[in-house]
Amino acid sequence: MKLIRTRKQMKNRHLEKQVFRFRIILAMVLITALFVLLFGRLAFLQVLNFQHYSELSAGNRIRIEPMPPNRGLIYDRYGKKLAENIPSFEVVIIPEETPNVDETLDAIEKFIPFSSEQRERFNTNRKRYRSFEQVPLLHHMDEQSVAAIAANIPDLPGVHVRARLTRHYPLAEESVHVVGYMGGINDRDLERIDKRAYAGTSYIGKTGIEQTFEQYLLGKVGYRQLLANAQGRLLDVIEEQTPESGSDLQLTIDAGLQAVALDALRDKRGAVVAIDPTNGEILTMVSSPAYDGNGFSRGLTQAEYNVFLDDTDKPLLNRAISGNYPPGSTVKPMIGLAGLQLNKTHRAHSTYCPGFFKLPENERPYRDWKREGHGRVNLFGAITESCDVYFYELALELGIDNMHDFLRNFKLGEHIDPQIRGSRKGILPSRAWKRNNFKNPADKVWFPGETVIAGIGQGYMLASPLQLATATAITAMRGEYHQPHLVKRIGSDYQLDFTDDSKHFLSVKADARHWDEIISGMESVMHGLKGTARHIGKDLDFRMAGKSGTAQVFTLAEDAEYIAEELDERLRDHSLFIAFAPIDDPKIAVAVIVENGGGGSSVAAPIARDLILEHLNKTK
């Protein structure tokens, strides 16, 4: 029995040693695992997420607030404000102070309803802000909404109401197509802008001058370091970097002329552009219908925006630079000058106008606007009475390519940059243009009949009101071109230079006697016994040069008669007029178009006359 007990005892000691070693090893493994976990967590916190937790830690003590700069103001040529900054209230959220941002948004929506678009915009902005920065939610709050938020602030951690300066356009519709408007920063904007430059603001210039001169108007953002406790309560301002206001802009336009032009176009579709021909300053640029840019700056809902998109009158279209119209008879002075300069006609040459024109061996009649014809007319009379037949013949003598090359010097068919986006260069047709712009080989061929109608500004020829005003300014200056522009000065002393050779040069080279002949014909339009616009030229105490135009919007059948009253309003002729004054010292050149307005001398010409009178009276 003793022997057996001894063996058991020996066996147990061996077993106990094995258990002890196992426990030691297990303890070492556990301790090692704990140390691995401990160091792993330490590395996770101190290395991989150092920046994040560093910011969180600093955020408990130091908060950095961006201070958006005041946006530069915009003035007209006489110092009248076209864009200003006015105070308003907005609601912002600091995400890191908010336990659950989505629940907070839901809570706010219960007492201040806001749209899904506003919520989406907030989430878009949130991506470009750091967690401790204020992300705007609602703008332009009225007093009731501000009071509602203030009353619930204790239950809305991270929600604040702040006063900000927002954009306002005092003249609203009168300047919107030039000045443009501000809008919320969207995803496309975020892809191209420097986010640091826009810290603290959520708006950016969307159209017009606001868009083109964004870099000058924006200014430089400032910062403020704030000391706060763990609950986010402000304790002190540690450091402050003052923001730099954006530069003010002075435009070349005259707000008074803008009002006159828009009032004249009220309830019409059309555009007016007036230029100082001596320096290219755009005095007026109006497109009708217009709209109030303040609505866009406040922020439109998609439904409100759709109203503009669905409007058949297209108020968002800037017709002054983007509208393309047949120039009609307004190009006759320029074609007449081409004929004189290229020896295709001369002042003594006359032709007989029976009221129609036919190409050789072609029975199709190209009708004159005057059914009974003008009788025998020379170039002076053809401009005065706007005889189509004379210019049908002259166009054939010139040929389409000569016309193209000469008219291009008047900037027709050329891109003109007025310092806002959207300008179109229109069409100045030629044989090459047709070859390059049609796919069907049969359509690439240029026909004589197309040259004939190009002679009166019809067919493929298209131009914008800005181009017609530019061509008129060049005519007023007898070939001298000054690039049209809208901005006169940036800041207090930065005046844009438009005197270099690329922006100021002799564009149309023609003999002085030929200019005399053409301008004399345009003067006769206003003051001659047979002038098509003589009814508005009388009683003027200065001499004015003009040319009316009436452009067809569809082609009449050979035996059809145009009766405006029997046509749909949108099928009636466009009304055009170009003019400059005074003839011996030009100070203003104007182009007017009224869509489907009818005769140029009866509808568009009085608008040009009123503008010229307003400008000359003001600059006496």
Side-chain angles (χ1 to χ4, degrees):
M1 291 298 290
K2 278 187 178 180
L3 181 61
I4 293 173
R5 193 180 302 120
T6 300
R7 285 180 177 172
K8 280 185 176 180
Q9 288 173 346
M10 290 176 63
K11 193 174 181 179
N12 287 341
R13 280 199 297 273
H14 178 72
L15 182 61
E16 285 173 355
K17 285 181 180 178
Q18 286 184 323
V19 170
F20 179 74
R21 278 198 297 271
F22 173 75
R23 286 174 177 172
I24 289 296
I25 292 171
L26 181 61
M28 291 180 66
V29 169
L30 287 175
I31 291 170
T32 302
L34 286 173
F35 271 101
V36 169
L37 286 174
L38 181 60
F39 281 108
R41 181 62 178 169
L42 195 60
F44 177 77
L45 295 175
Q46 295 292 326
V47 179
L48 297 180
N49 286 280
F50 171 78
Q51 186 66 31
H52 174 69
Y53 288 102
S54 177
E55 288 181 359
L56 282 181
S57 174
N60 284 333
R61 296 178 290 108
I62 299 175
R63 181 193 305 164
I64 300 177
E65 271 189 7
M67 300 169 66
N70 293 338
R71 192 172 178 84
L73 309 181
I74 302 175
Y75 298 90
D76 84 334
R77 66 188 294 111
Y78 296 116
K80 190 164 186 173
K81 273 183 191 171
L82 303 176
E84 60 185 357
N85 303 315
I86 60 173
S88 70
F89 291 97
E90 64 183 15
V91 173
V92 299
I93 297 176
I94 300 176
E96 77 168 24
E97 294 180 2
T98 308
N100 188 309
V101 173
D102 290 331
E103 290 180 1
T104 299
L105 292 174
D106 293 340
I108 295 174
E109 196 171 11
K110 288 178 181 175
F111 50 88
I112 302 180
F114 55 87
S115 66
S116 58
E117 292 168 333
Q118 289 171 303
R119 191 177 188 123
E120 184 179 342
R121 188 182 304 159
F122 168 83
N123 287 324
T124 299
N125 285 329
R126 192 179 162 191
K127 297 175 186 173
R128 66 187 182 91
Y129 286 76
R130 287 175 289 187
S131 61
F132 54 81
E133 291 182 335
Q134 299 176 348
V135 185
L137 171 64
L138 300 173
H139 304 272
H140 306 283
M141 306 272 292
D142 56 35
E143 292 182 0
Q144 288 183 332
S145 298
V146 171
I149 287 285
N152 290 276
I153 281 290
D155 300 324
L156 298 170
V159 178
H160 304 267
V161 176
R162 68 180 182 183
R164 299 297 299 270
L165 293 176
T166 55
R167 207 59 159 172
H168 179 253
Y169 305 104
L171 301 189
E173 296 182 353
E174 291 172 11
S175 64
V176 67
H177 284 295
V178 172
V179 175
Y181 58 81
M182 304 277 292
I185 296 173
N186 56 32
D187 291 337
R188 281 182 298 176
D189 297 322
L190 287 175
E191 292 175 359
R192 62 181 177 82
I193 64 173
D194 179 356
K195 297 181 180 62
R196 292 169 297 181
Y198 287 84
T201 182
S202 55
Y203 281 78
I204 192 172
K206 291 290 186 180
T207 62
I209 293 295
E210 291 277 31
Q211 179 188 42
T212 306
F213 289 86
E214 173 72 21
Q215 60 175 320
Y216 298 101
L217 292 166
L218 175 61
K220 188 174 180 181
V221 69
Y223 286 94
R224 189 164 55 175
Q225 280 192 1
L226 305 174
L227 181 65
N229 61 19
Q231 287 73 41
R233 179 165 298 174
L234 177 63
L235 300 177
D236 196 8
V237 177
I238 300 173
E239 186 180 353
E240 186 171 296
Q241 182 178 336
T242 307
E244 296 178 16
S245 298
S247 299
D248 296 341
L249 298 186
Q250 184 181 22
L251 305 190
T252 60
I253 64 170
D254 173 358
L257 281 186
Q258 292 284 117
V260 171
L262 188 60
D263 190 54
L265 289 175
R266 192 74 64 187
D267 301 325
K268 302 181 181 71
R269 298 179 302 280
V272 175
V273 177
I275 298 175
D276 182 339
T278 64
N279 55 23
E281 292 182 354
I282 296 175
L283 304 170
T284 306
M285 181 179 281
V286 163
S287 177
S288 178
Y291 57 94
D292 186 351
N294 290 305
F296 285 80
S297 287
R298 283 192 295 271
L300 298 179
T301 65
Q302 188 61 47
E304 290 172 328
Y305 187 61
N306 288 341
V307 171
F308 288 99
L309 294 181
D310 296 339
D311 191 331
T312 54
D313 287 341
K314 300 181 178 177
L316 299 181
L317 173 66
N318 186 351
R319 289 170 162 81
I321 60 173
S322 303
N324 270 343
Y325 305 95
S329 297
T330 60
V331 296
K332 287 176 179 175
M334 303 161 217
I335 292 175
L337 185 66
L340 291 172
Q341 187 64 23
L342 299 178
N343 294 318
K344 300 300 181 183
T345 189
H346 55 83
R347 61 181 304 177
H349 170 74
S350 65
T351 189
Y352 182 76
C353 169
F356 62 87
F357 171 80
K358 289 183 179 179
L359 286 165
E361 300 179 0
N362 191 324
E363 288 303 309
R364 176 190 168 178
Y366 294 87
R367 298 189 181 282
D368 194 283
W369 68 269
K370 193 174 182 180
R371 285 276 177 173
E372 64 274 25
H374 298 273
R376 186 156 291 280
V377 292
N378 57 16
L379 179 57
F380 175 86
I383 294 175
T384 302
E385 300 181 57
S386 198
C387 175
D388 291 336
V389 169
Y390 185 94
F391 286 95
Y392 290 150
E393 287 189 1
L394 180 55
L396 274 182
E397 287 293 322
L398 282 165
I400 189 61
D401 290 334
N402 279 333
M403 279 198 291
H404 168 273
D405 293 346
F406 198 85
L407 294 186
R408 190 173 59 182
N409 298 324
F410 284 92
K411 302 303 172 187
L412 297 177
E414 295 278 314
H415 181 72
I416 298 173
D417 178 12
Q419 299 175 315
I420 55 176
R421 296 181 187 177
S423 68
R424 299 175 66 183
K425 66 178 186 178
I427 296 175
L428 186 59
S430 65
R431 294 175 194 274
W433 171 84
K434 200 174 182 189
R435 279 197 303 272
N436 295 331
N437 286 275
F438 287 86
K439 292 183 179 178
N440 190 333
D443 295 332
K444 291 177 179 285
V445 179
W446 185 268
F447 297 101
E450 294 169 334
T451 302
V452 169
I453 58 176
I456 61 167
Q458 293 280 175
Y460 298 113
M461 193 180 295
L462 295 174
S464 69
L466 172 63
Q467 287 177 311
L468 291 179
T470 302
T472 307
I474 292 173
T475 302
M477 297 300 291
R478 294 172 177 251
E480 196 172 290
Y481 169 73
H482 295 264
Q483 183 179 322
H485 56 279
L486 284 163
V487 174
K488 193 180 184 73
R489 190 188 300 273
I490 299 175
S492 58
D493 54 7
Y494 178 21
Q495 184 148 11
L496 298 184
D497 183 10
F498 281 88
T499 60
D500 65 73
D501 291 344
S502 65
K503 299 172 181 175
H504 168 213
F505 55 88
L506 185 63
S507 181
V508 181
K509 298 176 183 176
D511 295 350
R513 67 180 191 280
H514 298 331
W515 282 114
D516 290 342
E517 182 72 11
I518 296 303
I519 293 175
S520 175
M522 293 178 71
E523 181 180 12
S524 182
V525 169
M526 307 301 305
H527 305 285
L529 292 176
K530 295 184 178 180
T532 54
R534 60 187 181 280
H535 60 290
I536 67 160
K538 62 184 179 182
D539 303 330
L540 293 176
D541 59 359
F542 56 88
R543 304 297 281 183
M544 177 174 162
K547 185 67 196 77
S548 59
T550 303
Q552 294 178 340
V553 297
F554 72 102
T555 304
L556 279 171
E558 288 183 18
D559 55 348
E561 185 178 357
Y562 176 83
I563 303 175
E565 294 73 18
E566 296 181 1
L567 291 172
D568 182 88
E569 188 267 343
R570 291 178 189 268
L571 292 177
R572 298 174 188 171
D573 294 343
H574 294 326
S575 175
L576 300 101
F577 198 78
I578 60 171
F580 68 88
I583 290 177
D584 55 352
D585 182 22
K587 293 180 178 174
I588 181 171
V590 181
V592 179
I593 181 164
V594 179
E595 290 183 13
N596 314 113
S601 59
S602 59
V603 179
I607 297 174
R609 179 183 187 271
D610 291 347
L611 277 176
I612 289 174
L613 276 172
E614 176 79 12
H615 182 68
L616 295 184
N617 287 334
K618 191 176 286 187
T619 55
K620 274 183 179 176

